[in-house]
Amino acid sequence: MTLFQSIIIAVIEGLTEFLPISSTGHMILASAAMGIHDDEFVKTFEVFIQLGAILAIALMYIKRFFRGLKIYYKLLAAFIPTAIVGLLAYDFIKGYLFNPVVVSVSLILGGVILILIDKKVVNQTSDLAEVEDISYRSAFFIGLFQCLSMVPGTSRAAATIIGGVFNGLDKKQATEFSFLLAVPTMMAAGGYDLLKSELTFTQEQIILLALGSGIAFISAWFAVKLFLKFVSNHGFTAFGWYRIVLGILFLIFMWGTDLG
């Protein structure tokens, strides 16, 4: 991975991590398109820079985390299913599902679902004053939806937003709960990935990790701000069509190469 390639991947991570279009899927596709060799450092880099994106959300919602313990209990209820499934399926997912074909198909299927979901939430209102008021049952079911995002290309944000909509949240609340749930989920997933890694880093690699995390932080901050405004005014349909078009284009691209 060159310096230029690491910057591109970091920008992609920050821009897509909290959007319902799959950051992991975009990084896999971008790496394949740029011919980046998928070695252990590249895998570690893609996990590590997510910490920069997490920090952006943590700082953006820092007041929410200091309101009281209620939000922590609800996030724990949502995190439990992901933790259990993730531990049991980690090796299978990493070994068999991280490839451009799975990502492309997941992008297309998820895009269709987002378009259908958008019609459901156009006039949907919520009975909750604040997202912290969500029931433990609803939080747990959103966590079950989040498990689907372990398939690359599905998108953690898309899965949890869809789960929130099906559990009575309006689109703004579903999106905010998705953001908040990202903090414990991504910290746990990233930490587990890094613990599994036995790499020792060179000075050049340490610079790439630090630079990538900083770029991911900045791009994630702006992406989240713009995403909340866009969703409030336009919903999720545009993201659904984007996923479908990207998935189809990459399948066509792979058809004439050996990437598949």
Side-chain angles (χ1 to χ4, degrees), residues 155-186:
S155 170
R156 191 207 61 81
T160 50
I161 288 171
I162 291 170
V165 168
F166 274 115
N167 282 277
L169 302 183
D170 60 33
K171 56 188 177 184
K172 185 174 185 296
Q173 290 175 339
T175 301
E176 286 192 340
F177 192 79
S178 172
F179 289 164
L180 296 172
L181 183 56
V183 176
T185 301
M186 292 167 60

Side-chain angles (χ1 to χ4, degrees), residues 14-56:
L15 291 178
T16 60
E17 181 60 56
F18 301 105
L19 274 59
I21 55 177
S22 179
S23 62
T24 300
H26 275 70
M27 286 192 289
I28 291 173
L29 296 182
S31 295
M34 290 190 290
I36 299 174
H37 179 60
D38 193 23
D39 59 20
E40 286 303 311
F41 174 72
V42 171
K43 293 177 181 178
T44 300
F45 177 85
E46 292 175 349
V47 171
F48 192 87
I49 61 175
Q50 291 179 343
L51 300 178
I54 297 171
L55 182 59

Side-chain angles (χ1 to χ4, degrees), residues 4-260:
F4 176 74
Q5 289 171 334
S6 68
I7 292 173
I8 295 297
I9 295 296
V11 170
I12 290 173
E13 157 61 23
L15 291 178
T16 60
E17 181 60 56
F18 301 105
L19 274 59
I21 55 177
S22 179
S23 62
T24 300
H26 275 70
M27 286 192 289
I28 291 173
L29 296 182
S31 295
M34 290 190 290
I36 299 174
H37 179 60
D38 193 23
D39 59 20
E40 286 303 311
F41 174 72
V42 171
K43 293 177 181 178
T44 300
F45 177 85
E46 292 175 349
V47 171
F48 192 87
I49 61 175
Q50 291 179 343
L51 300 178
I54 297 171
L55 182 59
I57 283 292
L59 291 178
M60 194 174 295
Y61 284 89
I62 191 167
K63 292 182 179 178
R64 185 72 61 87
F65 285 110
F66 281 101
R67 284 185 186 177
L69 296 178
K70 185 192 294 188
I71 188 61
Y72 292 95
Y73 297 146
K74 304 301 172 64
L75 293 177
L76 177 61
F79 174 70
I80 288 173
T82 309
I84 294 173
V85 175
L87 286 173
L88 293 176
Y90 178 87
D91 291 332
F92 174 81
I93 293 168
K94 288 290 184 180
Y96 296 98
L97 299 184
F98 272 61
N99 64 75
V101 174
V102 172
V103 170
S104 298
V105 173
S106 298
L107 282 171
I108 294 169
L109 293 178
V112 172
I113 294 173
L114 270 181
I115 292 171
L116 296 176
I117 285 295
D118 201 47
K119 296 180 180 180
K120 174 180 173 62
V121 299
V122 168
N123 298 313
Q124 179 165 305
T125 57
S126 171
D127 295 328
L128 306 180
E130 297 286 349
V131 73
E132 291 95 326
D133 298 327
I134 188 174
S135 69
Y136 288 103
R137 177 181 178 277
S138 294
F140 182 81
F141 273 100
I142 292 174
L144 290 178
F145 273 87
Q146 181 172 244
C147 293
L148 299 174
S149 67
M150 294 178 191
V151 178
T154 300
S155 170
R156 191 207 61 81
T160 50
I161 288 171
I162 291 170
V165 168
F166 274 115
N167 282 277
L169 302 183
D170 60 33
K171 56 188 177 184
K172 185 174 185 296
Q173 290 175 339
T175 301
E176 286 192 340
F177 192 79
S178 172
F179 289 164
L180 296 172
L181 183 56
V183 176
T185 301
M186 292 167 60
M187 286 182 66
Y192 187 70
D193 260 321
L194 292 175
L195 285 175
K196 297 270 288 188
S197 172
E198 299 179 356
L199 284 177
T200 55
F201 302 112
T202 65
Q203 183 176 4
E204 181 183 356
Q205 289 174 333
I206 291 173
I207 292 173
L208 290 181
L209 291 171
L211 179 64
S213 297
I215 292 173
F217 172 90
I218 295 170
S219 52
W221 182 282
F222 286 104
V224 167
K225 290 286 189 181
L226 293 174
F227 179 53
L228 283 172
K229 292 180 180 179
F230 187 90
V231 167
S232 297
N233 296 324
H234 305 288
F236 305 113
T237 297
F239 296 100
W241 283 114
Y242 170 80
R243 291 174 61 112
I244 293 171
V245 171
L246 180 64
I248 292 174
L249 287 177
F250 211 84
L251 284 175
I252 294 172
F253 173 66
M254 286 188 294
W255 187 267
T257 69
D258 59 356
L259 293 179

